[in-house]
Amino acid sequence: MKKIAIFAGLATTLGALPAAHAQSSVDPSSVTLYGLMDAGLVQEGGVSKLTSGVSAGSRLGVRGTESLGNGLHAVFTLEAGVLSDTGRSDQAGQLFGRQAFVGIDSPLGMLTVGRQYNLQSQALTDVADPFEGGLAGAATNLAGYSATRIDNTVRYTSPELRGVTATVMYGFGEHTRVVADQRSLGLALGYVNGPLTLRLARQSRAGEPGKAAANNTILAGNYNFGVATAFAGYGRNTGDGSTMFFAENPYGAAQAPAPSTDSRDAIVGVSVPLGAATLLASYVHKDDRNAANRDAQQLAIGATYALSKRSKVYVAYAHIRNRNDAAYMVGNATEVGTGNRAFNVGLRHAF
């Protein structure tokens, strides 16, 4: 990461600062330019291709903070998704499609507004999944679904108290003439104590008229034993849009699949550090509670090798077993996939 100090809260460019500001006695502000580039070879569904963002989405971002005095700080983040294989924008072409928010950080907590992460999705990828939502082994291939990011949100995170933090997030639907206009509500409660991390999160999103709201809830945890870290999660998904669904019937089933409106997710996994290498493995079970009983199971293995503090290579393989014409596919951090198995090998570099 490249830090650029801006002393009077003013700067004409990120690359150069006027000398007068450099000598100011005012509390400094800071702006950090950061990013990550990831590209890998993907073999899936009989197709071989070069893909961006296999282990983690490629991105270019800028974040900043300004001291306002009395423990208050103005904060902001703008983060753009980039497709490293084509140079195009990710997130359907949105300029800052990954994150875009501004807010105030204080001793009483942080309040931010803008485009921000779904709390249930964060708990799944950050706490329960050893693959961190990336590579072929991403737990998101089966578990949960509500949009990874939500627009027009107001989010408050409490200060930590004896390892406990709480977060609440409300999203304004901003659709007119619609009874249920995609408003959303997220709640999360986290606990960290040494090697133990636990998080309970729920994200609800109103549906269109005549459709049930999507509700995704997860209890996630991991424990670092030193020689290995164990991961686990259990989720409950109800309502329209609460589970991954592919309307194009990717496997050509005689009866086109329908989305599940009631399902449970179970996740177990492990990561084992071996010097510069880390071995990964996980099992994810999707239990469909609808009459069609379209269950699925995913087994995944993988490994990363750190070339430096900021660069690593990776390899992973995952296979999904679909039942009763379920249509889940093996994707990665950026793509949803094209088949029920996939192999990845690639490189990521953070800066």
Side-chain angles (χ1 to χ4, degrees):
M1 294 185 183
K2 181 180 179 182
K3 282 197 172 182
I4 306 165
I6 307 176
F7 278 83
L10 300 171
T12 57
T13 69
L14 291 179
L17 299 177
H21 292 315
Q23 297 173 1
S24 172
S25 61
V26 178
D27 287 342
S29 300
S30 69
V31 172
T32 300
L33 178 67
Y34 67 94
L36 183 150
M37 293 298 286
D38 180 304
L41 296 175
V42 174
Q43 170 69 40
E44 60 182 22
V47 176
S48 297
K49 59 182 179 179
L50 177 66
T51 294
S52 171
V54 178
S55 71
S58 296
R59 70 203 68 172
L60 180 63
V62 57
R63 66 169 66 97
T65 180
E66 179 191 17
S67 175
L68 303 177
N70 298 317
L72 297 176
H73 293 82
V75 297
F76 78 91
T77 292
L78 293 171
E79 189 172 285
V82 179
L83 297 176
S84 60
D85 55 338
T86 65
R88 296 178 180 175
S89 295
D90 201 357
Q91 288 82 46
Q94 289 179 268
L95 179 58
F96 295 109
R98 291 186 59 86
Q99 296 185 85
F101 63 81
V102 64
I104 296 291
D105 190 13
S106 76
L108 298 179
M110 182 181 290
L111 181 69
T112 52
V113 297
R115 178 173 170 85
Q116 304 181 81
Y117 280 105
N118 170 338
L119 300 185
Q120 182 271 345
S121 178
Q122 275 194 310
L124 172 61
T125 58
D126 295 355
V127 182
D129 184 7
F131 288 88
E132 298 178 339
L135 299 172
T140 49
N141 291 334
L142 294 183
Y145 181 57
S146 290
T148 303
R149 303 166 184 87
I150 302 176
D151 293 339
N152 307 308
T153 59
V154 178
R155 175 170 171 163
Y156 168 76
T157 300
S158 73
E160 180 182 334
L161 178 61
R162 297 183 179 179
V164 176
T165 57
T167 303
V168 59
M169 184 171 77
Y170 179 79
F172 295 85
E174 298 193 6
H175 293 273
T176 60
R177 302 195 183 112
V178 179
V179 176
D181 59 3
Q182 299 293 296
R183 292 185 298 270
S184 65
L185 177 64
L187 302 168
L189 186 66
Y191 176 72
V192 178
N193 185 3
L196 175 65
T197 299
L198 295 172
R199 195 178 302 174
L200 175 65
R202 177 182 176 88
Q203 190 75 51
S204 299
R205 188 181 61 204
E208 300 298 335
K211 294 186 177 181
N215 299 293
N216 297 91
T217 305
I218 187 170
L219 176 60
N222 63 65
Y223 192 93
N224 188 343
F225 292 94
V227 296
T229 299
F231 297 80
Y234 183 80
R236 182 175 185 267
N237 316 291
T238 60
D240 292 280
S242 63
T243 300
M244 184 72 74
F245 175 65
F246 303 98
E248 63 271 23
N249 192 7
Y251 300 116
Q255 181 179 356
S260 173
T261 58
D262 188 5
S263 68
R264 306 293 183 271
D265 303 322
I267 307 156
V268 291
V270 64
S271 68
V272 182
L274 296 172
T278 300
L279 305 182
L280 307 168
S282 69
Y283 170 78
V284 184
H285 176 69
K286 167 69 74 176
D287 178 15
D288 180 20
R289 300 293 179 90
N290 290 141
N293 194 31
R294 293 188 173 100
D295 294 351
Q297 298 86 36
Q298 174 178 282
L299 280 171
I301 56 173
T304 65
Y305 186 86
L307 303 174
S308 69
K309 290 183 178 180
R310 296 185 288 125
S311 299
K312 67 172 66 175
V313 291
Y314 55 78
V315 61
Y317 174 81
H319 177 266
I320 289 178
R321 183 180 181 184
N322 289 300
R323 294 181 177 274
N324 301 321
D325 292 330
Y328 297 99
M329 297 187 289
V330 177
N332 51 60
T334 300
E335 299 179 334
V336 297
T338 59
N340 71 331
R341 64 188 68 190
F343 173 78
N344 316 145
V345 60
L347 167 70
R348 64 184 277 180
H349 173 75
F351 59 92

